[in-house]
Amino acid sequence: MFGIGMGGVPSFMARAANSYKIDRLYKKKKILVTIFQRGAMDGLMAVTPFTDPYLQAARPTLFMSAVKDQKGSPLIDLDGKFGLHPAMKAFYPFFTERRLAIVHGIGSPNNTRSHFDAQDYMESGTPFTKGTSSGWLNRAVGLLGHDGTPFRAVSFTSSMPRSFYGDNPSVAINNLSDFAIQAKGNRVVANMAAKSFEELYDQTASGLLKETGKESFDAVKMLQKTDVRNYKPANNANYPNSPLGVSLKQIAQLIKMDVGLEVAFAESAGWDTHFNQGAENGVFARNVADLSNSIVAFWNDLAAYQDEVTIMTMTEFGRTVRQNGTGGTDHGRASCNFILGNDVAGGIIHGNIQPLAVENLEDGRDLPVTTDFRSVFSEVADTHLLINKDAVLFPGWTGNKIGVMMSDRNG
């Protein structure tokens, strides 16, 4: 996050003004896009081990199969064992092309079933330490090892997410057409509409800033020169008109503006499916359709940038193996996540899931966590962003990577 500097100009922009040259602002760099699915996605419904008889018995109205019968086969068979939810069919071509990887049984080693605590632990990256002052993505930004622009780390949220807390500059943008930078703590909002930005610039007291800083502000002013409201995605990409779809569309715009974006954050809500979860249709189906369709539209829109971009989802925990009495699932332990990119070891269901018999479940009810989320997050960051300081990125963690990334494909 950032403080406010001289003349009302955010201090990180003042520093940027003295550090960046115009030719350095627009250099292509690797970009990590993260999506937090808040509410705890049911990984067993998104990617179902459809040959497991215990799961079928535990979910009499929620279970779907990829085995053809008189009713058809709603699930999309991925590997003879796991089936993709039919509402996520947009993901299937990327799985077959080995661009999409799925990690199953992923979660936190902390067994809390509190949304608030589990999200805090995952975003801080310290699952057994409360009160960690920084988020793992903020630490990742600090480990990039090169200068960045004021748009290096951007969250498309109304307030700064826990993942971006810390000393390294990051901005929260609610909407590009009404660009605002929000600071946590003193709740200062510096409106960056074209006129007000010029006013902030003109009010700056530092002569050196005025003489050398205008180049760095060009990146900011590009946002006002671009008709973001009438943006036309490339390749007929069709973004859902949802909060996630809108966020990813705007992230795509920032990437195409070449303003130095390297780490982006977006959110997807509504995954707390205690009631009437639905199977082939219903609230869960609508959520996974929005997730997959938004990501695929974003990927198609960025055809010229795909080698630079990797997308990773995360969710705080999964749902119970057994459905409840109201047609939903309650707070559980492990879930699954999705990673899309040209440097991903795709076309594979990574992780380890045992048969879902009661004796194999955590507390006799939940899919156990067999892959620590830090194993995956660190590998994605290490390989894609070329970060190799896991002790700093995830303090106290000494685990192993699982091979979800292909380092030889990283440029």
Side-chain angles (χ1 to χ4, degrees):
M1 292 166 297
F2 64 88
I4 297 297
M6 299 171 297
V9 176
S11 58
F12 82 90
M13 285 195 172
R15 293 192 299 271
N18 292 300
S19 302
Y20 307 131
K21 297 298 183 183
I22 192 69
D23 59 340
R24 295 169 67 188
L25 277 172
Y26 312 115
K27 182 180 179 181
K28 280 187 179 181
K29 297 187 184 299
K30 297 295 184 180
I31 302 162
L32 175 62
V33 178
T34 57
I35 300 170
F36 205 114
Q37 297 170 257
R38 299 203 185 276
M41 181 189 71
D42 185 353
L44 290 172
M45 177 155 273
V47 181
T48 302
F50 64 88
T51 62
D52 193 316
Y54 301 103
L55 181 63
Q56 183 172 6
R59 297 187 168 195
T61 64
L62 297 183
F63 181 83
M64 293 182 289
S65 178
V67 178
K68 290 185 178 180
D69 59 17
Q70 64 273 19
K71 296 181 181 180
S73 54
L75 292 181
I76 301 168
D77 191 345
L78 295 176
D79 61 359
K81 178 181 177 180
F82 290 96
L84 186 68
H85 193 285
M88 304 185 86
K89 60 184 179 182
F91 268 170
Y92 183 63
F94 297 103
F95 187 84
T96 61
E97 293 170 4
R98 298 186 178 275
R99 298 178 189 228
L100 177 71
I102 299 167
V103 182
H104 222 315
I106 187 174
S108 173
N110 190 303
N111 63 4
T112 181
R113 292 181 177 85
S114 159
H115 290 297
F116 179 83
D117 288 342
Q119 290 181 24
D120 183 88
Y121 288 137
M122 184 167 283
E123 293 194 75
S124 69
T126 54
F128 292 104
T129 304
K130 269 199 173 284
T132 303
S133 61
S134 60
W136 80 273
L137 285 175
N138 190 273
R139 295 194 294 275
V141 170
L143 293 171
L144 289 173
H146 54 260
D147 291 337
T149 76
F151 292 95
R152 166 182 272 184
V154 179
S155 174
F156 274 84
T157 50
S158 59
S159 60
M160 197 68 72
R162 182 72 173 84
S163 300
F164 273 168
Y165 282 21
D167 296 331
N168 298 296
S170 57
V171 296
I173 299 176
N174 193 34
N175 194 298
L176 282 179
S177 61
D178 185 22
F179 177 45
I181 298 178
Q182 301 186 2
K184 178 181 175 290
N186 56 12
R187 304 180 67 86
V188 174
V189 177
N191 192 325
M192 286 302 184
K195 180 179 178 181
S196 62
F197 181 84
E198 294 293 346
E199 289 173 352
L200 286 173
Y201 181 83
D202 290 339
Q203 290 169 7
T204 302
S206 169
L208 179 63
L209 176 60
K210 280 198 170 185
E211 289 176 6
T212 65
K214 199 172 188 309
E215 298 95 334
S216 66
F217 289 127
D218 285 348
V220 180
K221 291 191 290 185
M222 285 182 68
L223 298 179
Q224 285 78 54
K225 293 178 180 178
T226 303
D227 185 7
V228 295
R229 291 183 182 274
N230 296 307
Y231 171 71
K232 301 296 183 184
N235 299 312
N236 298 313
N238 184 21
Y239 288 91
N241 187 25
S242 66
L244 179 61
V246 171
S247 293
L248 290 179
K249 182 192 290 187
Q250 294 185 99
I251 292 172
Q253 292 180 69
L254 272 190
I255 291 172
K256 291 181 180 183
M257 289 177 194
D258 289 327
V259 294
L261 179 65
E262 296 182 69
V263 180
F265 182 95
E267 294 177 335
S268 172
W271 297 96
D272 198 16
T273 49
H274 288 284
F275 310 99
N276 300 322
Q277 184 168 316
E280 190 172 354
N281 300 298
V283 61
F284 185 88
R286 290 193 294 272
N287 285 346
V288 289
D290 178 58
L291 179 76
S292 56
N293 291 338
S294 295
I295 291 174
V296 168
F298 175 76
W299 187 254
N300 291 335
D301 191 9
L302 291 177
Y305 295 80
Q306 288 175 358
D307 284 343
E308 279 73 54
V309 178
T310 291
I311 307 155
M312 180 176 69
T313 68
M314 61 192 79
T315 193
E316 64 262 37
F317 45 72
R319 318 296 297 186
T320 50
V321 171
R322 184 172 297 278
Q323 71 180 73
N324 61 30
T326 57
T329 50
D330 298 320
H331 297 181
R333 289 290 286 117
S335 186
C336 69
N337 81 327
F338 304 92
I339 308 163
L340 175 64
N342 287 344
D343 52 2
V344 171
I348 300 171
I349 311 294
H350 298 265
N352 177 31
I353 292 185
Q354 297 298 314
L356 298 173
V358 173
E359 59 268 23
N360 292 333
L361 303 184
E362 184 169 332
D363 297 333
R365 51 171 267 173
D366 296 326
L367 177 66
V369 172
T370 50
T371 297
D372 189 314
F373 72 87
R374 295 170 292 184
S375 297
V376 178
F377 293 7
S378 63
E379 185 174 352
V380 172
D382 287 353
T383 303
H384 189 68
L385 297 177
L386 302 181
I387 294 173
N388 292 293
K389 294 183 179 179
D390 290 340
V392 178
L393 189 60
F394 292 108
W397 177 70
T398 57
N400 298 315
K401 312 296 174 61
I402 67 169
V404 76
M405 301 294 287
M406 297 177 62
S407 58
D408 61 331
R409 291 169 67 174
N410 189 72

